[in-house]
Amino acid sequence: MIEVLEGSPLLTLFLVVATGAVLGAIPFGRVRFGAAGALFTGLALSAVAPHLGAGMEIVQSLGLALFVYTVGISAGAAFFATLNRQLPLLAAATVSTVLAAIATIVLGHVLGIARDLSLGLFTGALTAAPALDAAGRVTGTSAPSVGYAFGYPLGVIVGIVLVSTVVSRSWPGRKDTPALAGTGLASTTVHVLRTVNLREVPQWSEQQVRFSYLRRDGKVRVIVPGEDLLAGDEVVAVGMPEAVEAVTQELGEHSDQHIAHDRSLVEFTRLTVSNPDLASRSIAELNLSVRFGAIVTRVRRGDLELLARDDLVLEPGDRLAVVVDRSRLDAVHALLGDSDRKASELDVLSLGLGLVLGFALGLVTVPMPGGGSFSLGPAAGPLLVGMVLGALRRTGPVVWALPGSANTTLRQLGLLLFLAGLGLTAGPDVASVLASPTAWRAALLSVVVAALSCIAMLLAARWVLDLSAPRAAGAVAGFLGQPAVLEAANAKRADERIETAYATLFAFSIVVKILLVPVIWNL
């Protein structure tokens, strides 16, 4: 069997990926390793047959580049859009990472661990694969890969245990926004008792509700934004339950009949945004009310149902709830595209250009103290480019945003390839560390670094920033940059704030860890 695998590197690689997926799906108490299973099976296989890791370095680089680029694309817009509001959380992540770096330097010295191995344990305990690439370039040795492979599972375990313990707690979270998950939007028909212009309705002007249907003198039609409502009219209001109830009290009373059920002249349908020309456009920019007399009330994005605010920016694959006159339905359908297949297709041009720019940036060398130089490499380069392009969303005809399903698939594939390649190349060295007196000291350093930084992050979120438990758990997952920790949080509680905090901190924390690598090495 070993002879067959030595003659077929691709068979070896995907054997590790497949067996790693099986291992990652097995629960060990609260711990489920997920994609990290490929790392462990790769380590075990290469420890038995060291030659199986030959030539896997390019697999590591490719997988890492795909992973960090897709993360940057998905997180870039949210990161830059909420940068001012998220500065306290970003500061907490920075302080936590600095604490981890200090602990690495001090404990590494006290325990007598070589600096290059300590640097690898730092990247592994914080599960920072891009920082590992930087560490390998700075040290010029294989010790960082050994330390990463050794510290990685310990960092994952610490993160999963802490997040699973915290995510379901009821913290006040006075400075946090309420959760949208599980609440859903409400829709009701309001019987109008007084004449009023829509612009004078605060819930409508503040984008808390959307009006769609209007029945006047027994005839149902699509409402015109900004028109007058007359006494005796009936309108359909859509929004969060409390906002819908408030606008009902403002205009009149609940109607006995829900006019949205009347489809004689007006159609209610859900259409998928697959037209690439509409990607990164806002609801207001569609101008459906003027062009087609149509109103968008809701946007389904993944598992979330969002109110179709005018400033909501569309993403490929969004499903829009549209109210439109039957005679104009085909025109709206043609504009949006409404093709699930097309919405999930990968734009190879934008992906290729983005990775070219990322790798080109990775070739840039940055001078370091002491006369040396440091290149960003195939990790930091694609990550930073992905964040910028994700914030831009599009440049002329090129849409940088990737469909959600394609982004998730590429990210998972990249992570699996990187971890499998890493396991196949680092197995012999990890086995030698496990068999040496350094093992317990390396384990102690890894656990302390991971626990200290994650606990610092939780304490800051709870007592300094006054955030909710779900957002704090997502912040820890994003700080570690670990999908397995995110999965552990989502498995225990459905709350979109978990993924929002994860996306906010993920890319930023990776950059901070990369920047601290040469600092740790040179101190």
Side-chain angles (χ1 to χ4, degrees):
M1 182 65 180
I2 296 298
E3 291 180 358
V4 172
L5 294 177
E6 287 179 347
S8 179
L10 288 179
L11 175 61
T12 302
L13 176 66
F14 286 104
L15 176 64
V16 170
V17 169
T19 55
V22 174
L23 178 63
I26 299 174
F28 298 91
R30 292 184 176 182
V31 179
R32 192 189 301 265
F33 290 112
L39 172 64
F40 303 138
T41 56
L43 288 172
L45 189 58
S46 62
V48 175
H51 298 300
L52 294 179
M56 290 296 172
E57 290 78 10
I58 191 172
V59 173
Q60 290 185 57
S61 297
L62 174 62
L64 184 58
L66 285 174
F67 177 66
V68 297
Y69 178 75
T70 52
V71 167
I73 284 290
S74 63
F79 173 76
F80 288 109
T82 62
L83 184 58
N84 290 334
R85 287 180 294 166
Q86 301 293 350
L87 284 178
L89 191 59
L90 299 178
T94 302
V95 172
S96 298
T97 312
V98 171
L99 286 175
I102 294 173
T104 300
I105 295 171
V106 174
L107 270 179
H109 177 72
V110 172
L111 297 174
I113 301 175
R115 183 59 60 89
D116 52 358
L117 180 59
S118 294
L119 195 54
L121 293 170
F122 167 81
T123 63
L126 299 186
T127 70
L132 167 62
D133 179 76
R137 292 172 177 273
V138 168
T139 63
T141 70
S142 61
S145 293
V146 177
Y148 179 90
F150 189 89
Y152 184 96
L154 298 175
V156 172
I157 292 170
V158 169
I160 289 177
V161 171
L162 287 177
V163 162
S164 299
T165 303
V166 165
V167 69
S168 298
R169 293 186 179 273
S170 298
W171 292 352
R174 288 179 288 268
K175 296 183 181 179
D176 207 346
T177 56
L180 295 175
T183 56
L185 299 177
S187 173
T188 191
T189 299
V190 181
H191 182 208
V192 180
L193 297 181
R194 65 184 181 90
T195 299
V196 61
N197 187 275
L198 282 180
R199 296 183 180 87
E200 300 172 4
V201 180
Q203 293 81 8
W204 185 82
S205 60
E206 295 171 7
Q207 298 279 296
Q208 296 178 10
V209 299
R210 300 282 285 185
F211 293 114
S212 53
Y213 293 82
L214 169 68
R215 180 157 63 188
R216 179 177 293 169
D217 299 328
K219 183 178 179 180
V220 177
R221 62 176 173 85
V222 181
I223 199 168
V224 177
E227 74 171 301
D228 291 325
L229 296 179
L230 307 180
D233 285 349
E234 290 180 311
V235 293
V236 173
V238 179
M240 297 298 290
E242 58 274 13
V244 170
E245 184 60 32
V247 80
T248 301
Q249 299 302 320
E250 175 78 18
L251 297 178
E253 59 187 10
H254 289 282
S255 175
D256 295 334
Q257 296 182 340
H258 192 33
I259 60 175
H261 296 153
D262 186 346
R263 305 291 176 86
S264 56
L265 298 175
V266 178
E267 183 63 60
F268 171 79
T269 185
R270 291 186 182 271
L271 303 175
T272 301
V273 178
S274 60
N275 183 350
D277 294 335
L278 303 184
S280 79
R281 309 294 186 189
S282 67
I283 295 291
E285 289 177 301
L286 295 182
N287 205 18
L288 295 183
S289 59
V290 174
R291 298 171 66 183
F292 308 109
I295 296 291
V296 181
T297 58
R298 314 166 192 241
V299 176
R300 184 78 177 182
R301 179 173 296 165
D303 294 332
L304 287 180
E305 190 172 47
L306 308 173
L307 185 66
R309 295 171 51 93
D310 287 341
D311 58 357
L312 180 65
V313 176
L314 297 175
E315 296 180 1
D318 283 349
R319 289 187 60 81
L320 309 187
V322 181
V323 178
V324 60
D325 187 279
R326 278 183 172 274
S327 62
R328 310 302 300 275
L329 178 59
D330 289 342
V332 176
H333 187 285
L335 173 68
L336 297 180
D338 194 33
S339 171
D340 289 334
R341 180 189 61 81
K342 191 173 182 179
S344 61
E345 285 180 348
L346 181 65
D347 187 343
V348 180
L349 174 62
S350 68
L351 176 65
L353 285 176
L355 287 173
V356 165
L357 294 174
F359 282 119
L361 180 61
L363 296 177
V364 175
T365 56
V366 180
M368 293 190 308
S373 63
F374 167 65
S375 61
L376 294 175
L383 173 64
L384 294 177
V385 168
M387 291 178 65
V388 173
L389 296 182
L392 291 175
R393 292 193 172 93
R394 70 185 301 152
T395 304
V398 180
V399 179
W400 301 111
L402 298 173
S405 58
N407 188 299
T408 301
T409 301
L410 282 175
R411 186 187 309 183
Q412 186 74 358
L413 176 62
L415 183 60
L416 284 170
L417 291 178
F418 170 74
L419 293 175
L422 175 61
L424 286 170
T425 55
D429 293 328
V430 172
S432 65
V433 172
L434 286 172
S436 72
T438 308
W440 72 269
R441 290 177 289 176
L444 177 61
L445 188 148
S446 299
V447 171
V448 169
V449 167
L452 176 65
S453 55
C454 290
I455 291 173
M457 193 73 223
L458 288 174
L459 291 177
R462 170 65 178 90
W463 298 106
V464 179
L465 306 180
D466 201 6
L467 301 178
S468 63
R471 193 177 296 276
V476 171
F479 166 74
L480 286 176
Q482 178 46 244
V485 179
L486 176 65
E487 180 186 351
N490 282 329
K492 298 203 70 173
R493 184 164 181 170
D495 193 311
E496 81 286 349
R497 293 174 295 184
I498 297 173
E499 292 195 359
T500 300
Y502 178 85
T504 299
L505 286 187
F506 188 105
F508 176 81
S509 296
I510 289 176
V511 173
V512 174
K513 294 167 190 174
I514 291 173
L515 294 176
L516 283 175
V517 163
V519 175
I520 296 173
W521 175 246
N522 287 286
L523 285 181

